Amino acid sequence: TARIVDEIGQRDIEFDGAFDTARGPAVQVVLYNRDYAPVNLAEGDYAYVGDLQSFSGAQRYAIPADIDLDSYESVVIWCEQFNVTFGYADI
């Protein structure tokens, strides 16, 4: 599961301990403008949050302050090098 956590003005994306995804190069966490994510993402439809810290386990990513969460409906695990979505969750 993925969820948005707001603590003292800092917004984070949090993955629970059951998180697990495929391995690959240049894997990133991005926010996507729909509640589903296609295999390939088009530039302008997503916002970069951070590089994936680990392919499994609980983790958190700070959401940059300039990102308007009202513009995004899902969090996506995405391989930038090959423009391939590894998985996504509604937020």
Side-chain angles (χ1 to χ4, degrees):
T1 354
R3 68 183 186 128
I4 302 295
V5 178
D6 191 341
E7 293 177 344
I8 312 168
Q10 172 58 54
R11 303 168 307 162
D12 295 324
I13 296 171
E14 181 179 77
F15 299 137
D16 68 16
F19 173 77
D20 190 52
T21 190
R23 276 62 178 160
V27 180
Q28 301 177 349
V29 177
V30 299
L31 293 170
Y32 188 66
N33 64 0
R34 295 189 187 101
D35 62 357
Y36 66 91
V39 173
N40 307 113
L41 302 185
E43 200 167 323
D45 288 345
Y46 64 89
Y48 173 81
V49 174
D51 294 338
L52 189 69
Q53 299 165 6
S54 175
F55 294 106
S56 63
Q59 46 203 292
R60 269 191 178 196
Y61 298 86
I63 300 170
D66 62 340
I67 291 180
D68 176 10
L69 283 177
D70 291 335
S71 300
Y72 299 97
E73 298 181 30
S74 60
V75 59
V76 179
I77 306 303
W78 178 65
C79 174
E80 178 185 34
Q81 183 173 347
F82 296 106
N83 188 13
V84 175
T85 297
F86 286 2
Y88 68 92
D90 292 347
I91 52 170

